[in-house]
Amino acid sequence: QVQLVESGGGVVQPGTSLRLSCAAFGFTFRSFGMHWVRQAPGKGLEWVAVISYDGKNKFYADSVKGRFTISRDNSKNTLYLQMNSLRPEDTAVYYCAKGFYVGDTAMGLDYWGQGALVTVSS
Amino acid sequence: DIQMTQSPSSLSASVGDRVTITCRASQGIRNDLGWYQQKPGKAPKCLIYAASSLQSGVPSRFSGSGSGTEFTLTISSLQPEDFATYYCLQHNSYPWTFGQGTKVEIK
């Protein structure tokens, strides 16, 4: 069955960097766009970034543009989120999620990981 | 960017009640909207896609409607397992955006 497993979360100081990984199982990873979504403690969901199936197209939320980079390694079935210049407001649970398609049209997110907590604090 | 305004932010209801949640988009998004349910400490789950299509395995008491700028999620008869927070998500254009969420609580 489809499984997404995030890793790499932790406590870091403001201004530093962290890389999250998301290992994918149970589906043809190289065929699907993949996303990161985050949720600050006690707050709502915030879409963060997407990468196309082949890694050629990437889009970001304004709040992370220029600081975060999404990437993927289809040979390892793994999605990444490189987070630089971290701020306290980046503190959140970060979920990776698989894009859901009908034909070639994106229809949302159908499978999610369990989340990785990132805490940015001095 | 497209803003999604969801209402109400919370509601109290009883088992068996009919519940309606609304999302409004700041510009037309055709039917490029989904509804997600999240329980405490868990990842969200997709209930509805393309505004009105039921995701596989989701009970038929959940339904969605709308197009353009106004969308509705309806739970026809609230069950104990439905107490959760619900979010809309527009996937018409990047950046995708969620509504603020509606927490459905037990009356």
Side-chain angles (χ1 to χ4, degrees), chain A residues 35 37 39 43-47 50 59-62 95 99-102 105-110 112-114, chain B residues 1 30 32-34 36 38 41-46 48-50 55 87 89 91 94-100:
Chain A
H35 300 248
V37 174
Q39 186 169 37
K43 302 298 184 182
L45 299 170
E46 180 184 15
W47 179 88
V50 61
F59 296 92
Y60 298 90
D62 292 344
Y95 295 100
F100 165 54
Y101 295 83
V102 174
T105 303
M107 290 288 175
L109 307 168
D110 57 356
W112 299 61
Q114 82 287 353
Chain B
D1 298 359
R30 303 181 304 184
D32 298 333
L33 182 117
Y36 293 76
Q38 187 181 33
K42 300 294 188 182
K45 170 187 173 182
C46 182
I48 301 283
Y49 66 95
Q55 185 66 280
Y87 297 91
L89 169 66
H91 52 84
Y94 292 116
W96 287 7
T97 42
F98 286 93
Q100 303 95 316

Side-chain angles (χ1 to χ4, degrees), chain A residues 1 3 6 11 24-25 40-41 44 53 61 72 74 88 91 96 112 120:
Chain A
Q1 74 279 21
Q3 194 175 6
E6 298 98 338
V11 181
F25 305 92
Y53 69 98
R72 65 191 297 160
N74 285 345
T91 295
C96 66
W112 299 61
V120 184

